[in-house]
Amino acid sequence: MATLAAPPSPGETTARNPWPAVVSLAFAASIAALQNTAVVPLLPVLQRELHASLTAVSWTLTISLLVSAVATPLLSRFGDMYGRRPMILGAIGLLLAGSVLGALSTSLTWLIVARILQGFVAALVPLSIGVVRESLPPRQLATGIGVLSATMGFGSGGGMILAGLVAGDYHVLFWVTGAIAVVAGALVALLVRDRAPSGGGRPDLLGAALLTVWLVALLLGITQGGSWGWTSPRVLGLFAVALVTALTWVAVERRVREPLVDMAMLTQRGTVGATVASMLLGFAFFTCMTGISGFTQAPGYGFGATTLQVGLYLLPSTLFMLVISLFAGRFMRRFSASSMVASGSAAVALAGLWLVVRHGAPADVYVATSLLGVGLGVGYAALGTMAVEHVDPARTAAAAGVNALVRIVGGSTAGAVIAAILAALPGEHGYQWVFATAAAGSLVAAVFAAVFGLLNRRATAITAPAGR
């Protein structure tokens, strides 16, 4: 996994104002979230226009998240070898290429290819965190990471709004995404500088291949379980492939000199709370967003909403995430990262539970999306800091990369789980189970963040020098 050089000296951090670079990176990182969530309200539209099943078009979301899970650690390693700035610009370039291809696509196959190219942009998050850590003095690091994390949440909500503003036309959506990518690339090229790469080493391509295989097998098995049958040979075979390949992947990662994913980061006490909370919060976020979009657009038991109306329903989430991102630095100075993640996760759980009980009127959706925006804004602002605050400074990027990876893996399972639930329980009752599942994941995330945050604070207090 990626590593970081020692922090810059005071002279290096004051010679150039780093905040324009941080803001440009935050804007670029927000597109990583925007390009995913913008597709969510369009799934019913794609189903109609491309004459495909909901299970099939859901792969336009799932495949991008799956590519993100592999590209995040891989490009982070390339960032160590060749420089983070070139990798950031390369990821934005792939986003632009995917956007143009998506805008020109007239079939599901080419649209999925476009989404594969767009998925590489998720690597901007750990790459940007690495650049920010090299650019900011230690006292401002938590604020910088908080700004990056919170604007990702804003980008997530902005994607939903964008889908509504283009009135469900996916061609226009991809053109707009491409234009935003051009602006982000220009800002990064002009404002961002990073240190000379450390060089040496080689990427763990075998680890990347094994990770891809077991994730594809797992998600395909979950997605098709309802239609093929959970005990059918094909589904059981996919789960068997996923299990065997995952175990092989873990064995390879433990033995290879420079692993794609540092397995120790997944289990050590300083990071495990952030790891589990990040994965479950990512899952709950995409489950809630996709569930709200599908339910409000459904005729009959839903509201028969247009994509623009879906964007309006989700507007409170975007606004709250935007406001919270502006004050992320202040929050990080007053509250511990673990308490913020726990509180944010609890708010997301409350949003899911609200929709389980009350979903008969638009006002119920607005209440839920407001809670969702508060929870995601607070939780996402602190996740990055929680992941790195108890690790050695030289392993900051490794911890940030693992945290981004598990959040993406959690999000990538959301589409498959929703498809499985709705295949077994179509209609209103199915969506209640979707929201309940998101709430359960968020509650577990809150517990892990709170418990491990407390354990880490106690361990720090015990090991701190007397009189400090």
Side-chain angles (χ1 to χ4, degrees):
M1 200 70 187
T3 57
L4 276 178
S9 66
E12 290 175 301
T13 58
T14 56
R16 177 189 177 101
N17 182 2
W19 283 103
V22 173
V23 172
S24 67
L25 288 171
F27 174 66
S30 71
I31 305 175
L34 181 147
Q35 60 89 24
N36 272 324
T37 57
V39 175
V40 172
L42 297 181
L43 294 180
V45 177
L46 296 174
Q47 186 180 1
R48 291 193 306 268
E49 294 191 7
L50 301 178
H51 309 290
S53 66
L54 181 59
T55 300
V57 298
S58 68
W59 278 94
T60 58
L61 173 63
T62 302
I63 197 68
S64 177
L65 291 168
L66 193 150
V67 171
S68 299
V70 179
T72 294
L74 193 60
L75 292 189
S76 294
R77 180 64 189 130
F78 284 147
D80 280 347
M81 298 171 62
Y82 308 115
R84 295 184 182 88
R85 181 174 176 271
M87 291 302 104
I88 290 172
L89 292 173
I92 294 175
L94 289 173
L95 171 65
L96 176 59
S99 299
V100 173
L101 181 59
L104 299 174
S105 296
T106 57
S107 69
L108 182 60
T109 300
W110 283 109
L111 193 60
I112 287 177
V113 173
R115 295 289 293 153
I116 289 173
L117 293 174
Q118 289 187 319
F120 284 90
V121 78
L124 289 184
V125 179
L127 288 168
S128 297
I129 289 176
V131 174
V132 166
R133 191 183 184 282
E134 290 179 345
S135 304
L136 294 178
R139 68 180 184 278
Q140 296 180 350
L141 181 59
T143 300
I145 294 177
V147 170
L148 276 172
S149 301
T151 51
M152 284 170 51
F154 169 68
S156 299
M160 295 285 196
I161 302 298
L162 178 59
L165 292 176
V166 301
D169 189 330
Y170 74 89
H171 300 287
V172 176
L173 174 68
F174 281 104
W175 283 124
V176 174
T177 304
I180 296 174
V182 170
V183 174
L187 290 174
V188 170
L190 289 172
L191 299 175
V192 175
R193 298 291 181 269
D194 66 348
R195 291 185 168 192
S198 58
R202 60 182 182 180
D204 180 17
L205 298 180
L206 177 59
L210 290 171
L211 176 61
T212 302
V213 171
W214 78 256
L215 280 176
V216 169
L218 175 65
L219 296 177
L220 187 59
I222 295 173
T223 302
Q224 299 297 337
S227 57
W228 291 352
W230 291 103
T231 58
S232 67
R234 285 186 291 179
V235 171
L236 293 178
L238 285 169
F239 287 148
V241 169
L243 177 61
V244 172
T245 311
L247 293 175
T248 305
W249 175 69
V250 171
V252 168
E253 296 302 277
R254 287 187 179 279
R255 294 182 181 181
V256 71
R257 184 174 180 179
E258 296 175 341
L260 182 76
V261 176
D262 187 345
M263 288 294 155
M265 285 293 178
L266 292 174
T267 56
Q268 75 173 60
R269 188 172 67 181
T271 58
V272 68
T275 296
V276 175
S278 187
M279 181 176 65
L280 291 176
L281 196 56
F283 168 78
F285 163 62
F286 275 100
T287 302
C288 277
M289 286 289 197
T290 307
I292 291 171
S293 173
F295 176 79
T296 55
Q297 290 184 76
Y301 58 85
F303 304 148
T306 64
T307 52
L308 178 58
Q309 289 172 321
V310 171
L312 293 175
Y313 285 131
L314 293 164
L315 183 60
S317 292
T318 305
L319 294 177
F320 276 112
M321 285 188 280
L322 173 60
V323 171
I324 291 172
S325 71
L326 298 176
F327 294 95
R330 254 181 232 186
F331 291 150
M332 295 300 298
R333 288 192 293 269
R334 298 194 58 181
F335 304 102
S336 68
S338 58
S339 66
M340 289 179 63
V341 173
S343 300
S345 300
V348 174
L350 187 57
L353 290 174
W354 181 275
L355 289 171
V356 172
V357 179
R358 298 182 61 90
H359 49 265
D364 298 321
V365 178
Y366 284 121
V367 170
T369 53
S370 296
L371 290 169
L372 191 63
V374 171
L376 290 171
V378 172
Y380 270 23
L383 268 177
T385 299
M386 185 181 177
V388 304
E389 63 184 349
H390 296 293
V391 302
D392 186 272
R395 307 188 75 189
T396 300
V402 168
N403 191 258
L405 169 65
V406 296
R407 182 169 63 247
I408 293 166
V409 170
S412 67
T413 61
V417 169
I418 290 173
I421 292 175
L422 295 180
L425 298 168
E428 179 181 359
H429 191 48
Y431 277 104
Q432 286 180 293
W433 275 100
V434 167
F435 297 131
T437 302
S442 299
L443 284 175
V444 177
V447 170
F448 264 83
V451 170
F452 279 92
L454 179 61
L455 291 175
N456 289 330
R457 285 196 295 274
R458 286 181 176 176
T460 302
I462 292 173
T463 57
R468 187 170 178 175

